[in-house]
Amino acid sequence: MIGRLTLSDFRNHADALILPDHAFIVLTGENGAGKTNILEAVSMLAPGRGLRGAAMRDMARQGGPGSFGVAAEVDGVVLGTGTSPQAPDRRQVRIGGVSSSANALADHLAIMWLTPAMDRLFMDSPGGRRRFLDRLTLALHPGHAVHSARYEAAMRARNRLLTDLKSADPAWLTALEAQMDEHAAAISAARGDLVARLGAQLAGQPDEPFARPLVAIEGEDGGEEALGPRLARERRRDAAAGRTLSGPHRQDLAVTHAAKGQAAALCSTGEQKALLLSILLAHAALVAAHRGQPPVLLLDEVAAHLDPSRRAALFERLTEAGGQVWMTGTESSLFSSLSDATRFTVTSGRLFRSAD
């Protein structure tokens, strides 16, 4: 768990210090006060660009020095990330006071989040669902981020060469395709392992109060043939398309409402939210069993659209899971049934400790 969180010039927070003394941290306040900004700061302690996927320079406080910092103490180790005024787009990471890569953060902390923007996950593009799938996978396979980054880098280099296929060096193309093949195999194996384990975890869950989902990976995978030889054979096709058309970057996460046998995209908004919650809760249990510690959960406005019975069921499940949970809401009454929580009121980028 995060034992201490500090923010410097992050979004609308000039500075902030949170010392959680309960597993639940509840942030309430008006819209625009800066509640979600706190969750985004926590999400920066994971690889990637956080729960908003924003550019680094956009996270720096307006009117500030042009940089930001986020630091947290986790099991006696200080994790820190941020930027400098000289390089506002370049993320820096320090672990235990030593410069490191963002991918190394996954070795120390597993973080998952659910935001209102994700309510349309099943309606949006496959790219959004792949990113969600990869965050789930990363919690079980910390090396997944490295394989994904190297695969994407090799694919971008290959795509550039294909813009002028006649003058492209065949040996260099073959080398890039071999790299893509190697990392694609690791990516697909990690995703497949995650989905298999998640499916087994979900199989033991009831259909109520949250809808039980069935999960699978869909999309082009090439069957038993290795990716490298296929890419070599498909160079002309990819050159004409202007992009690589085979590989794990074409996969999609398929989710079905088990009780109704209906694709998540065809379900109601409430059902889609329930399916997401089921996946998140099952994944938290899976990570806890695998890593020996549950992930940190960031739940933005999660209670607002749940009726009292489902809200109580959610809090009960989260309590049983035993992990640290950061939640936001506009009304403190939404969390009145939580007996033990560290509570803050957020007002214009300032935090005020509320009664527990």
Side-chain angles (χ1 to χ4, degrees), residues 7-264:
L7 277 64
S8 301
D9 295 303
F10 187 87
R11 295 289 189 182
N12 68 333
H13 295 274
D15 59 77
L17 169 64
I18 297 180
L19 300 171
D21 47 19
H22 297 291
F24 289 90
I25 299 93
V26 175
L27 306 164
T28 57
E30 297 180 354
N31 292 327
K35 306 183 299 296
T36 303
N37 294 341
I38 298 292
L39 300 194
E40 184 182 26
V42 176
S43 74
M44 293 305 298
L45 299 171
R49 296 193 299 172
L51 59 79
R52 285 190 175 107
M56 292 293 119
R57 65 168 59 236
D58 292 340
M59 300 181 196
R61 182 172 63 89
Q62 293 185 9
S67 60
F68 74 87
V70 177
E73 184 177 320
V74 179
D75 295 331
V77 179
V78 176
L79 311 179
T81 187
T83 59
S84 68
Q86 296 75 28
D89 293 313
R90 181 175 175 270
R91 181 182 184 183
Q92 301 175 27
V93 173
R94 296 181 71 83
I95 298 177
V98 179
S99 294
S100 187
S101 69
N103 291 334
L105 291 168
D107 294 329
H108 296 268
L109 202 59
I111 303 177
M112 288 303 302
W113 54 81
L114 193 60
T115 69
M118 294 170 63
D119 287 351
R120 290 189 53 81
L121 181 72
F122 303 121
M123 306 295 292
D124 286 340
S125 68
R129 289 187 291 278
R130 275 195 303 275
R131 288 189 291 273
F132 177 66
L133 172 62
D134 285 337
R135 285 199 301 275
L136 297 178
T137 303
L138 184 63
L140 292 186
H141 300 277
H144 184 66
V146 174
H147 287 294
S148 297
R150 291 178 179 173
Y151 175 86
E152 293 287 339
M155 183 172 64
R156 287 194 299 269
R158 178 180 182 268
N159 288 343
R160 286 194 295 271
L161 287 177
L162 291 179
T163 58
D164 188 3
L165 183 57
K166 289 184 179 180
S167 60
D169 182 354
W172 183 227
L173 276 171
T174 298
L176 289 171
E177 288 159 356
Q179 290 180 38
M180 291 176 65
D181 191 341
E182 175 188 353
H183 297 300
I187 291 168
S188 295
R191 286 175 178 170
D193 179 67
L194 176 278
V195 167
R197 294 195 197 188
L198 187 60
Q201 184 74 33
L202 287 165
Q205 291 191 0
D207 292 326
E208 291 293 340
F210 304 110
R212 182 171 61 87
L214 303 175
V215 293
I217 295 176
E218 289 184 347
E220 188 278 327
D221 62 9
E224 298 298 322
E225 184 183 9
L227 180 62
R230 275 198 302 135
L231 291 175
R233 191 175 65 248
E234 295 170 356
R235 288 173 187 173
R236 291 186 180 277
R237 184 192 70 169
D238 292 349
R243 63 189 187 280
T244 300
L245 298 175
S246 295
H249 64 286
R250 306 281 291 179
Q251 292 178 338
D252 195 358
L253 175 65
V255 177
T256 304
H257 190 304
K260 299 177 69 173
Q262 188 174 61

